[in-house]
Amino acid sequence: MTRKCYVTTTIPYVNAKPHVGFALELVQADALARYHRLLGRDVRLQTGTDENALKNVLAASERGVATQHFVDDNARAFRDLCPALGVAPDEFVRTTEPRHRRAVERFWQRLRADDIYRKKYTGLYCVGCEDFVLERDLVDGCCVDHGKPPVRVDEENYFFRLSTYQSQVEDLIRSDRLRIVPQTRRNEVLAFVRQGLQDISVSRLAARAGGWGIPVPGDPSQVIYVWIDALINYVSGLGFGTSDGWDEYWNDDTLKIHVMGKNVWKFHAVYWPALLLSAGLPVPDVVAVHGFLTQNGQKISKTLGNTIDPVDCVREFGLEAVRYYLLRAIPSFDDGDFSTERLKGVYNADLANGLGNLVSRLTTLCSRAGFCCYVGAASPAAPEGYHEAWSRYEYDGALAALWKLITVVNQEIDRAAPWAALKAKDPGSVHGHLERWLGVLHSIAYWLAPFVPRASQTILEMLARDPIVPSAPLFPRLVYLQ
RNA sequence: GGGCUCGUAGCUCAGCGGUGAGAGCAAGGGACUCAUAAUCCCUGGGUCGCAGGUUCGAAUCCUGCCGGGCCUACCA
């Protein structure tokens, strides 16, 4: 129980402003961190930005600005997204920071010497993909995903002997020492590993990278492959390579959780553990993979720029509404749709009519009945199914467990009809009921903290008041005229 | 081309071999008034993507097809 916990998001590349897809990841990771904190654990939450990608260089040059300027600008937008969503990371890593660069160099040097070798490589390289593509996959000579022609590349790169780690990685996953959630994703990773791991290229010609990126130690003609560089943020942010006490949150007694989208599990569940094994460092414990968001049913595309700005959305509906929507109405692991229409619907049904209205009716009843000072347990029992859902990383499930109680209390109030006793001038007879209902509300509010921390705090404060007074609407109902 | 995955009420999803297919939201009706036109109760609504097969029995297993998604692949 005294275990420490380390939660990370992936670090998005900053060639554009953040969209709701990343907001989902940030909010999931934040809720996870808050949940473990609520359980009394020593938790560290980290996010950041991946700035060494060649894509950033290209995006900057398209706009005619210096790359550093460009990434500084966009990194700020990502950093600002945190407070907008009520997320307070303990660390925000930018991969262009000197401390990260040093960490990457040290990490590279720490890899088993045998695991790194040089090999000649030739192929067509798509800058958008940051990867090699095949001729027959091209349409009109262009990459299907990026609409641009790839460049012919003939160069010698450094390779990492990933193949050596196949059975070790497979064992980690099979034994759940490295747990991959959900299960379907775990099956997918295992199938991938079993089909055989090829060694991977871990550097690029510096000239082709536009001089951007972290040079290979001892060979400035090469820069480290951006994915390797990016993964190392999980330890560089802790001080790896720059601080002696860096492993306070990266050791076998810390529950290390990486939260990410379904497109990057290969890097986190396969490459990263192998690299860590090679470097003689502990591997992560959990790889939690979420799905993708569509927007009004359409694929979100950074390049098309058809994206809802999460900050605008927060401005319109409030950060708690956006957090709630992302955690409740989006399946924890599958793809989901983000639409403001649905957001409004969920807000009114669950937050305004559900939680908010229950708080209103209870505080008013207390006030009328002259019920003062509710004293609850410091840490009330969680509703049935709540912790179980968390153990499966099912955010929506944990919230469903809480909302079930809201319905129960509403039903009980209706059945008990306390207003009748109040009219009969017998307020004392409803105190027993109120005591129970406030107890349930207290539990709801307490365990709601990971999801909607402000509402949780507000309700807990209302309950602690002496006397309890009628409250203003917690989540005012949204009314829209057609 | 291959792997994996999704396709179940208007919407979002649960069920994943066995009593007449479920929940929430939305819709319709009723009750109530403490509450944010709220809440509570009841109701309607589905060829479980399509076509075969296995089985005493399939939404649930198998095959093929159609459609969405993620990943992956030097030829086969």
Side-chain angles (χ1 to χ4, degrees):
Chain A
M1 234 341 249
T2 53
R3 229 184 168 194
K4 290 179 186 174
C5 182
Y6 178 43
V7 182
T8 69
T9 68
T10 56
I11 50 173
Y13 57 85
V14 291
N15 70 334
K17 300 272 188 261
H19 64 238
V20 286
F22 186 63
L24 171 74
E25 184 164 319
L26 208 46
V27 167
Q28 283 193 348
D30 181 65
L32 205 46
R34 287 176 186 272
Y35 172 67
H36 285 286
R37 245 170 227 147
L38 199 56
L39 295 181
R41 297 195 169 114
D42 175 2
V43 179
R44 188 176 172 95
L45 174 67
Q46 180 176 301
T47 184
T49 44
D50 171 17
E51 306 182 5
N52 291 326
L54 183 52
K55 259 177 273 195
N56 295 330
V57 181
L58 298 171
S61 80
E62 267 170 28
R63 288 171 181 73
V65 292
T67 309
Q68 189 64 54
H69 237 87
F70 179 73
V71 297
D72 283 351
D73 250 27
N74 280 332
R76 194 172 311 119
F78 278 87
R79 197 191 281 270
D80 291 347
L81 181 59
C82 293
L85 291 167
V87 176
D90 299 289
E91 195 60 59
F92 189 100
V93 176
R94 296 184 58 191
T95 59
T96 50
E97 291 174 77
R99 61 165 174 165
H100 177 73
R101 176 182 285 249
R102 271 201 296 281
V104 172
E105 288 164 357
R106 296 281 157 77
F107 195 97
W108 179 281
Q109 288 161 337
R110 196 174 162 137
L111 293 170
R112 258 180 31 140
D114 281 356
D115 288 341
I116 297 290
Y117 64 96
R118 294 175 70 105
K119 189 172 119 185
K120 198 155 179 127
Y121 199 87
T122 177
L124 292 171
Y125 188 85
C126 171
V127 173
C129 301
E130 302 269 9
D131 207 353
F132 289 89
V133 294
L134 295 173
E135 193 133 20
R136 62 176 191 168
D137 286 332
L138 304 178
V139 174
D140 297 328
C142 293
C143 163
V144 205
D145 293 332
H146 297 91
K148 290 174 185 166
V151 279
R152 166 128 342 245
V153 164
D154 184 11
E155 66 185 51
E156 193 171 75
N157 294 140
Y158 288 93
F159 276 71
F160 172 69
R161 244 179 256 286
L162 181 65
S163 54
T164 308
Y165 293 93
Q166 174 165 342
S167 64
Q168 284 184 74
V169 170
E170 187 179 334
D171 287 348
L172 282 173
I173 298 169
R174 260 218 325 236
S175 65
D176 279 338
R177 166 65 191 78
L178 171 56
R179 186 172 159 214
I180 297 168
V181 287
Q183 187 77 20
T184 54
R185 213 50 82 182
R186 177 178 179 272
N187 297 343
E188 193 175 2
V189 177
L190 275 174
F192 171 74
V193 174
R194 283 182 186 137
Q195 122 196 351
L197 297 180
Q198 306 291 312
D199 293 349
I200 51 171
S201 164
V202 289
S203 75
R204 299 285 186 266
L205 206 58
R208 190 157 54 75
W212 194 247
I214 301 175
V216 168
D219 185 353
S221 75
Q222 298 269 331
V223 292
I224 294 172
Y225 176 41
V226 70
W227 255 110
I228 306 303
D229 159 2
L231 287 166
I232 293 168
N233 95 84
Y234 300 130
V235 292
S236 75
L238 297 173
F240 174 83
T242 53
S243 149
D244 285 339
W246 78 274
D247 58 355
E248 192 186 341
Y249 291 90
W250 196 272
N251 52 59
D252 291 328
D253 288 325
T254 300
L255 182 67
K256 303 173 289 299
I257 307 169
H258 295 313
V259 177
M260 74 205 61
K262 65 181 182 180
N263 56 327
V264 294
W265 57 257
K266 184 180 69 178
F267 301 100
H268 290 84
V270 182
Y271 294 4
W272 180 227
L275 288 164
L276 287 163
L277 287 169
S278 178
L281 295 170
V283 297
D285 299 271
V286 179
V287 162
V289 187
H290 65 252
F292 282 173
L293 288 185
T294 53
Q295 204 169 267
N296 300 311
Q298 288 194 311
K299 197 170 169 176
I300 295 175
S301 165
K302 279 191 196 177
T303 44
L304 289 178
N306 67 335
T307 64
I308 293 176
D309 184 339
V311 176
D312 288 345
C313 202
V314 165
R315 209 169 284 138
E316 188 173 357
F317 301 105
L319 77 90
E320 306 256 277
V322 175
R323 285 178 68 104
Y324 182 81
Y325 181 82
L326 290 171
L327 294 166
R328 177 67 203 269
I330 303 296
S332 302
F333 309 116
D334 290 325
D335 292 354
D337 189 53
F338 191 95
S339 86
T340 50
E341 276 318 301
R342 238 186 107 212
L343 170 59
K344 288 178 209 166
V346 170
Y347 175 96
N348 275 340
D350 292 0
L351 295 176
N353 300 347
L355 180 63
N357 182 61
L358 180 61
V359 170
S360 293
R361 72 191 303 204
L362 278 178
T363 52
T364 301
L365 281 172
C366 284
S367 173
R368 296 224 178 157
F371 184 93
C372 66
C373 41
Y374 168 78
V375 183
S379 174
E384 197 184 338
Y386 178 84
H387 291 305
E388 291 81 352
W390 268 116
S391 73
R392 293 187 299 268
Y393 295 81
E394 290 167 1
Y395 312 91
D396 50 352
L399 281 167
L402 294 173
W403 253 258
K404 200 169 255 174
L405 287 186
I406 291 176
T407 301
V408 168
V409 175
N410 272 326
Q411 288 170 329
E412 287 186 16
I413 294 174
D414 272 48
R415 220 177 305 133
W419 47 89
L422 294 181
K423 272 193 191 131
K425 308 281 188 216
D426 181 20
S429 68
V430 302
H431 283 197
H433 283 301
L434 286 172
E435 182 77 31
R436 154 156 172 85
W437 297 331
L438 292 179
V440 179
L441 181 62
H442 181 242
S443 169
I444 293 169
Y446 183 87
W447 295 106
L448 202 52
F451 304 97
V452 281
R454 289 186 186 175
S456 163
Q457 185 64 26
T458 304
I459 297 169
L460 292 176
E461 280 166 10
M462 281 172 184
L463 291 174
R465 256 204 211 145
D466 178 13
I468 292 174
V469 296
S471 69
L474 192 56
F475 294 103
R477 190 180 162 80
L478 299 171
V479 180
Y480 289 87
L481 304 172
Q482 275 305 98

